Amino acid sequence: IASGIGHCDGNNCPVITTVSMPPITKGVGYSTQLQASGGTPPYEWGLTFSGTSSEIISGLPIGIHLFHDGRIAGTVPTHNTFGGDIGGVGGFATIKVIDANGKTSQATYPFVANDPGQSAFGFIGGESPPATVEHHYSQLLVVGGAPPLTLSLVGGSLPPGLSFTSDGGVSGTPT
């Protein structure tokens, strides 16, 4: 699930409409197309990185690439040894879209490359992007398993306006 941040003056801005990324399996070809609306096409895509693994380059697992047309594709090698919390390669990538007038917006996505046959679930490592009051927030916290997932807090509470989702995330508009 994406967590979005906009960098635009509010007039005819591009918005990334891709909500989540399909799972990646090591050794299996991967391809997905990012989507955007608003702004002035054509769009150009790029990314920044906020992960923790030395085996992730530019925020995507080794072997996965973001192309300027918004396509994400490649194959993660099966010999990749980074274990993470869930037996796969994991991190967050912040993807940005730039329209023909230079206006941008961005969204942060978790990227996890699972071992073939992995069916267990686990928490995504790393720090989630912060939520901003009165701005929609959506962040995947868990990967794997079979939805619907039920998450709960051991102590404390989520900020008002946020709630857990059945796919292992937290979403809403903090108030």
Side-chain angles (χ1 to χ4, degrees), residues 5 29 37 48 54 68 86 106 109 117-118 125 139 141 153 155 162:
I5 304 168
S37 64
T48 60
S54 62
H68 290 290
I86 57 171
Q106 62 187 35
Y109 297 90
Q118 181 178 349
Q139 183 64 48
L141 303 174
L153 293 173
L162 294 180

Side-chain angles (χ1 to χ4, degrees), residues 23-31 64 73-76:
I24 299 171
T25 301
K26 292 178 186 177
V28 176
Y30 178 85
S31 183
I64 303 295
T75 303
V76 174

Side-chain angles (χ1 to χ4, degrees), residues 42-120:
Y43 304 118
E44 186 170 322
W45 299 84
L47 58 89
T48 60
F49 174 60
S50 61
T52 57
S53 169
S54 62
E55 294 202 22
I56 300 175
I57 299 174
S58 301
L60 297 173
I62 287 178
I64 303 295
H65 308 281
L66 170 63
F67 296 90
H68 290 290
D69 65 358
R71 186 172 54 93
I72 299 175
T75 303
V76 174
T78 56
H79 66 275
N80 194 318
T81 58
F82 176 72
D85 293 333
I86 57 171
V89 173
F92 293 92
T94 299
I95 296 174
K96 69 179 178 179
V97 62
I98 306 166
D99 77 357
N101 294 322
K103 294 182 178 184
T104 68
S105 70
Q106 62 187 35
T108 300
Y109 297 90
F111 282 91
V112 176
N114 295 310
D115 293 322
Q118 181 178 349
S119 61

